[in-house]
């Protein structure tokens, strides 16, 4: 047995935790007198870490799982991207060393780094990039392989110019193409893996990326263990390191109970707990643990409203919903000062976001007046009715967001005072994906937690144009929204596009199509103070490529 195998086996015995007396005992561990270990100034090689996570999702097909809040952690270490996008949205070279575009943003030329290979030995060259671009755009829907949701729908084709040069063509101006190459769905996978049928792509061990780690083992519903690739030498310059990772292995272990995840970090049995309760963060920070609540670039947390379902087909009811939510109370009650009020339906750190706070002000008197005007009369029991039917709303708590049910419960109280009868349902990740995610004919509102890199892609997602996701079930009924969508898509410069994005945000919020709740901190990390050097990218994923264990 090699030294590394011995270390990994020892690590697994220590880290692949079962929910048993060992972990239960962690709940009793006292952290009194805890003093964080000081990190070495220079990273050192070696060490194994465990990351405790609340789900490992339901598929490993790359196109279908790379954008998941759970599987995305693994893909971020097993695969690379053409460009790197940091936490502030800055785009910089990665496997595309440089690029050019024509004057109206319909043609782009990518120049690739030489010498990069996938873990199956295949070169990451121009033909490999074309194969990835094609499947990101089209998927293979007949096989159950989806397109990447936010990849530009205006994509026409990509051509190999030479082994290190790709030219990409779009049917219309597509300013968002370059930033989208750093989106977490835009992972580069070996052409051999892409050619596999969906059933084999769903086997994580059979998918080859070019990232700093490879899959050492995985068990569905239990764990994924990654080991570092020793010949890796093409990390993004923006993170200050390009060679092999420092850590020997990363194990992502499924532990469903948040308190057990945190307790395992406190007891030293694990290194990172994902999705801890916000209420625990203050005390954990005081005890010396590293707490990270990065905001990603994307939509705020809120509801997309199905305008085909009564009474939400009435703009006055939607506007009453918008005015009837006390967002400051949500932050004060459920969250901490790490969370921010929404100012639009996209996060305020997204380039192109504008401040629409006036449309999101809590105004219960306005909400009551709108409901009165819409014909909803409050009865003796406080519930509003119209034509013998109660004003109802069913909320489906989002399992991707640990705090979702608590927020739903508070909003149910707020809306109840205005005359709504609110019901709350909670499903696990798989059932939620089947019954609720992206709405449906019986879902009046569904919670959105979605990242993106470029705001220009948003308009197409909201409508049904070019296979868009038609979030509000409007189809082609709203001509103004469609006009804004088309103008944004056709803009050739940011100066032309930004005022249109402002108009889009104002219109969507004023119509009550999207109901923001808070700016989103979807990924909460509680980390051992001995683990240093992690980096958070533009979609708030923690990368442990640069991380190390301090002395």
């Amino acid at each position: 047995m090699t030294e590394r195998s011995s270390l990994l086996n020892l690590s697994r015995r220590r880290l692949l935790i079962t929910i048993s007396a060992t972990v239960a005992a962690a709940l009793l561990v006292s952290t009194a007198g805890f003093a964080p270990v000081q990190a070495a100034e220079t990273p050192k090689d070696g060490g194994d870490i465990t990351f405790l996570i609340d789900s490992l999702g339901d598929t490993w097909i790359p196109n279908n799982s790379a954008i998941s809040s759970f599987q995305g952690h693994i893909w971020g270490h097993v695969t690379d991207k053409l460009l790197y996008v940091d936490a502030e949205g800055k785009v910089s070279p990665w496997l595309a060393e440089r690029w050019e575009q024509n004057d109206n943003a319909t043609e782009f030329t990518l120049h690739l780094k030489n010498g990069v290979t996938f873990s199956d030995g295949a070169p990451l060259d121009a033909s490999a990039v074309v194969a990835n671009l094609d499947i990101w755009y089209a998927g293979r829907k007949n096989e159950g392989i989806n397109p990447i949701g936010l990849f530009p729908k205006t994509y026409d084709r990509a051509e190999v110019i030479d082994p290190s040069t790709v030219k990409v063509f779009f049917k219309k101006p597509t300013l968002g193409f370059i930033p989208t190459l750093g989106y977490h769905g835009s992972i580069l996978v070996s052409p051999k893996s892409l050619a596999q049928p969906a059933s084999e792509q769903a086997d994580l061990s059979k998918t080859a990326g070019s990232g700093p780690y490879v899959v050492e083992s995985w068990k569905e519903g239990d764990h994924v263990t990654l080991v570092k690739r020793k010949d890796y030498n093409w990390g993004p310059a923006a993170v200050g390191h390009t060679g092999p990772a420092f850590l020997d292995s990363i194990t992502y272990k499924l532990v469903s109970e948040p308190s057990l995840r945190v307790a395992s970090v406190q007891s030293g049995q694990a290194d990172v707990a994902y999705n801890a309760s916000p209420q625990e963060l203050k005390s954990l920070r005081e005890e010396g643990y590293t707490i990270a609540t990065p905001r990603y670039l994307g939509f705020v947390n809120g509801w997309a409203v199905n305008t085909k379902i009564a009474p939400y087909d009435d703009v006055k009811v939607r506007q009453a919903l918008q005015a009837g939510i006390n967002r400051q109370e949500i932050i004060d009650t459920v969250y901490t000062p790490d969370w921010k009020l929404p100012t639009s339906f996209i996060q305020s750190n997204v380039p192109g976001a504008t401040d629409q706070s006036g449309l999101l002000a809590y105004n219960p008197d306005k909400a009551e007046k709108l409901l009165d005007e819409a014909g909803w009369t409050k009865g003796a029991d406080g519930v509003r009715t119209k034509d013998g039917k109660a004003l109802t709303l069913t909320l489906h708590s989002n399992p991707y967001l640990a705090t979702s049910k608590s927020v739903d419960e508070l909003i149910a109280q707020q809306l109840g005072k205005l005359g709504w009868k609110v019901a709350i349902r909670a499903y696990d990740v798989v059932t939620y994906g089947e019954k609720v995610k992206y709405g449906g004919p019986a879902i009046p509102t569904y919670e959105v937690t979605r990242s993106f890199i470029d705001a220009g892609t948003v308009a197409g997602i909201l409508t049904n144009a070019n296979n868009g996701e038609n979030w509000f079930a409007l189809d082609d009924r709203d001509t103004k929204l469609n006009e804004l969508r088309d103008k944004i898509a056709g803009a050739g410069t940011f100066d032309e596009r930004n005022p249109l994005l402002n108009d889009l945000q104002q219109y969507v919020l004023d119509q009550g199509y999207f109901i923001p709740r808070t700016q989103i901190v979807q990924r909460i990390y509680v980390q051992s103070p001995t683990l240093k050097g992690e980096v958070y990218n533009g979609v708030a994923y923690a990368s442990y490529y640069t991380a190390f264990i301090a002395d």
Side-chain angles (χ1 to χ4, degrees):
M1 182 179 292
T2 66
E3 181 181 357
R4 187 182 74 176
S5 297
S6 298
L7 287 171
L8 287 173
N9 287 336
L10 177 61
S11 175
R12 265 191 229 79
R13 285 196 298 270
R14 178 175 69 89
L15 300 173
L16 297 186
I17 301 166
T18 57
I19 304 305
S20 64
T22 302
V23 174
L27 292 170
L28 303 177
V29 172
S30 170
T31 56
F34 178 86
V37 177
Q38 295 301 309
E41 292 186 3
T42 304
K44 66 171 187 174
D45 287 319
D48 311 288
I49 66 167
T50 285
F51 183 113
L52 300 184
I53 196 166
D54 38 331
S55 174
L56 285 170
D58 58 347
T59 182
W60 287 104
I61 296 172
N63 269 34
N64 299 9
S65 62
I67 63 172
S68 163
S69 293
F70 304 112
Q71 295 102 316
H73 290 279
I74 286 83
W75 289 122
H77 291 88
V78 171
T79 65
D80 294 321
K81 301 179 183 68
L82 288 164
L83 298 174
Y84 183 78
V85 179
D86 69 13
E88 284 73 47
K90 181 181 178 182
V91 178
S92 60
W94 192 349
L95 298 189
E97 293 185 307
R98 66 185 194 282
W99 55 89
E100 301 97 35
Q101 69 182 59
N102 65 354
D103 290 341
N104 64 350
T106 58
E107 297 179 9
F108 299 80
T109 303
L110 307 175
H111 302 276
L112 308 178
K113 187 184 294 284
N114 291 315
V116 179
T117 59
F118 294 101
S119 59
D120 62 5
L124 201 163
D125 57 11
S127 62
V129 170
V130 170
N132 277 272
L133 290 168
D134 286 346
I135 199 166
W136 295 345
Y137 168 68
R140 296 202 298 269
K141 292 182 181 179
N142 60 323
E143 295 182 43
I145 299 172
N146 299 328
I148 298 297
L150 293 183
F151 190 76
K153 306 294 191 296
T154 51
Y155 178 78
D156 182 16
R157 69 191 191 281
E159 296 178 356
V160 175
I161 304 302
D162 59 48
S164 61
T165 310
V166 177
K167 192 163 188 178
V168 188
F169 299 85
F170 292 87
K171 298 168 188 173
K172 294 179 180 179
T174 308
L175 288 171
F177 172 60
I178 290 297
T180 300
L181 295 179
Y183 178 60
H184 63 306
S186 304
I187 60 171
L188 294 165
V189 173
S190 169
K192 296 177 186 177
S193 298
L194 294 179
Q196 294 177 146
S199 59
E200 293 195 32
Q201 288 195 25
D203 183 343
L204 181 61
S205 66
K206 294 183 178 179
T207 299
S210 63
Y213 286 86
V214 296
V215 177
E216 197 267 350
S217 68
W218 75 284
K219 181 179 180 182
E220 188 170 355
D222 185 74
H223 77 278
V224 177
T225 296
L226 310 178
V227 294
K228 76 175 174 182
R229 184 175 168 182
K230 292 184 177 180
D231 64 343
Y232 186 83
N233 194 31
W234 42 82
V239 302
H241 179 57
T242 58
F246 301 113
L247 296 170
D248 289 330
S249 75
I250 309 169
T251 294
Y252 290 87
K253 172 66 182 174
L254 179 62
V255 175
S256 58
E257 175 55 47
S259 61
L260 295 183
R261 294 195 296 273
V262 171
S264 297
V265 173
Q266 289 176 307
S267 68
Q269 293 180 308
D271 303 279
V272 185
Y274 189 53
N275 280 349
S277 168
Q279 284 76 24
E280 295 183 89
L281 300 185
K282 183 176 185 291
S283 62
L284 287 165
R285 187 178 276 122
E286 290 171 351
E287 291 168 9
Y289 294 98
T290 302
I291 306 299
T293 55
R295 281 189 304 157
Y296 62 36
L297 304 166
F299 295 99
V300 301
N301 173 251
W303 300 324
V305 179
N306 187 336
T307 60
K308 285 186 176 178
I309 294 180
Y312 303 100
D313 54 349
D314 185 335
V315 64
K316 289 189 176 181
V317 174
R318 298 195 303 269
Q319 288 172 335
L321 196 60
Q322 193 78 282
I325 295 175
N326 186 339
R327 296 164 175 92
Q328 186 63 55
E329 187 179 28
I330 294 172
I331 291 176
D332 293 343
T333 305
V334 178
Y335 293 119
T336 72
D338 294 296
W339 275 255
K340 298 178 183 298
L341 286 171
T343 55
S344 179
F345 65 87
I346 56 180
Q347 303 267 70
S348 62
N349 57 334
V350 173
T354 53
D355 190 341
Q356 307 292 335
S357 300
L359 294 171
L360 303 177
Y362 176 51
N363 191 336
D365 292 339
K366 176 182 177 182
E368 298 256 21
K369 184 172 184 292
L370 285 163
L371 291 173
D372 289 341
E373 291 173 355
W376 292 93
T377 304
K378 189 177 286 188
D381 60 356
V383 176
R384 289 180 180 267
T385 60
K386 181 179 180 180
D387 300 329
K389 295 182 179 180
L391 179 61
T392 62
L393 178 63
T394 300
L395 304 180
H396 297 84
S397 300
N398 186 345
Y400 291 90
L401 194 64
T403 53
S404 180
K405 190 169 186 292
S406 298
V407 175
D408 285 343
E409 289 169 348
L410 181 57
I411 290 177
Q413 294 174 18
Q414 295 174 355
L415 296 180
K417 296 174 183 177
L418 301 175
W420 261 278
K421 187 176 182 180
V422 182
I424 299 173
R425 293 179 183 170
Y427 297 121
D428 61 24
V429 168
V430 175
T431 308
Y432 183 84
E434 292 170 348
K435 294 188 175 183
V436 181
K437 196 174 183 182
Y438 305 134
I443 306 296
T445 65
Y446 65 98
E447 190 177 333
V448 172
T449 53
R450 173 79 78 84
S451 59
F452 59 81
I453 295 298
D454 182 74
T457 63
V458 169
I461 290 294
L462 302 182
T463 72
N464 64 350
N466 297 315
N467 297 314
E469 295 176 12
N470 196 24
W471 277 13
F472 315 126
L474 287 164
D475 302 320
D476 287 320
R477 290 182 289 127
D478 190 323
T479 55
K480 181 171 181 178
L481 183 62
N482 294 340
E483 180 182 346
L484 284 168
R485 171 199 69 205
D486 294 340
K487 286 182 177 180
I488 288 168
T493 67
F494 290 103
D495 287 343
E496 180 184 354
R497 194 181 75 174
N498 284 342
L500 296 168
L501 283 172
N502 176 72
D503 293 345
L504 174 73
Q505 292 164 75
Q506 182 176 339
Y507 184 70
V508 166
L509 294 173
D510 183 56
Q511 291 295 305
Y513 291 149
F514 193 105
I515 311 296
R517 307 196 314 177
T518 66
Q519 294 204 46
I520 189 168
V521 174
Q522 185 172 355
R523 315 190 210 287
I524 303 172
Y525 303 84
V526 176
Q527 182 173 296
S528 165
T530 62
L531 180 60
K532 303 288 185 180
E534 76 283 356
V535 174
Y536 300 91
N537 64 13
V539 286
Y541 280 118
S543 170
Y544 297 99
Y545 163 58
T546 55
F548 60 96
I549 296 174
D551 293 325

